[in-house]
């Protein structure tokens, strides 16, 4: 199955110059969505891990079915002010704008092995800050999965110490 064919590209959204990769067209096609999750499960074959972490909001869409399929727990990393318990916070830059992310302090135990799942790697800011949050809690990031990688932005350069896999490249 060619997953790239299922992604809709919308130019100049949300601002001039951004070529937006819209995954909603893939998600609404049940077979393609299932195939995507199955491919991620294959990527994780033989890897030992305890938890899947997904950054808000598209990381939830990828991370939660993967959590279900692998029978591992899911931990959300959220935009500020959304998590009710004690949190740690990390600020980062986006392809457009900047933001910060938070995780519950008690979400990960020291030494737990974590896989991160998200829809798209652009500058790498989101994944890097998710990694920083996990490591601040003592977790070990053993894998990073994303559906789409925007190679020209070279987000991987921030993630060179990690096992990063993407299914679709632009
Ligand atoms: O590699 P980066 O430059 O950090 O960009 C990638 C991130 O940007 C998007 O999320 P966004 O923050 O737009 O939030 P959303 O998932 O709620 O739309 C996307 O889902 C990734 O998480
Ligand atoms: N070009 C892009 N398309 C979709 N989501 C994004 N998040 C950051 N950059 C993006």
């Amino acid at each position: 199955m060619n997953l790239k064919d299922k992604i809709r590209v919308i130019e100049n959204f949300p601002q001039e110059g951004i070529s937006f990769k819209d995954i909603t067209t893939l998600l609404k096609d049940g077979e393609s969505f299932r195939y995507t999750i199955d491919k991620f499960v294959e990527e994780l074959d033989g890897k030992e891990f305890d938890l899947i972490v997904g950054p808000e909001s598209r990381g939830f869409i990828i991370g939660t079915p993967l959590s279900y399929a692998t029978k591992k727990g899911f931990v959300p990393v959220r935009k500020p002010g959304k998590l009710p318990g004690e949190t740690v916070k990390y600020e980062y830059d986006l392809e457009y704008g900047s933001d910060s992310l938070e995780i519950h302090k008690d979400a990960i135990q020291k030494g737990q092995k974590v896989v991160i799942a998200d829809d798209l790697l652009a500058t790498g800011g989101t994944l890097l800050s998710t990694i920083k949050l996990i490591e601040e809690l003592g977790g070990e990031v053993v894998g990073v999965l994303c559906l789409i990688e925007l190679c020209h932005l070279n987000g991987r350069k921030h993630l060179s110490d990690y096992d990063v896999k993407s299914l679709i490249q632009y």
Side-chain angles (χ1 to χ4, degrees), residues 35-121:
Y35 178 83
T36 301
I37 300 304
D38 289 347
K39 288 303 260 186
F40 283 136
V41 171
E42 268 175 40
E43 292 287 357
L44 292 173
D45 191 35
K47 198 183 272 293
E48 268 186 44
F49 65 101
D50 305 300
L51 287 171
I52 292 177
V53 169
E56 183 173 355
S57 61
R58 285 173 263 162
F60 297 175
I61 297 172
I62 304 296
T64 52
L66 196 52
S67 167
Y68 179 84
T70 57
K71 301 192 176 81
K72 304 294 182 186
F74 178 80
V75 170
V77 159
R78 296 213 63 180
K79 293 180 179 167
K82 297 287 188 181
L83 290 169
E86 262 197 273
T87 59
V88 288
K89 183 187 229 171
Y90 192 86
E91 295 208 345
Y92 67 106
D93 294 321
L94 289 167
E95 190 188 9
Y96 41 88
S98 75
D99 216 334
S100 53
L101 288 174
E102 295 181 345
I103 193 168
H104 270 143
K105 269 188 180 165
D106 62 358
I108 296 169
Q109 306 307 305
K110 277 196 176 53
Q112 278 193 305
K113 294 183 193 303
V114 175
V115 168
I116 302 172
D118 201 0
D119 70 320
L120 187 139
L121 166 59

Side-chain angles (χ1 to χ4, degrees), residues 18 25 37 39 65 95-96 100 103 117 132 137 143 145 148 152 167:
I18 299 294
T25 40
I37 300 304
K39 288 303 260 186
E95 190 188 9
Y96 41 88
S100 53
I103 193 168
K132 297 280 187 203
L137 298 181
L145 300 175
I148 299 170
H152 63 286
L167 299 184

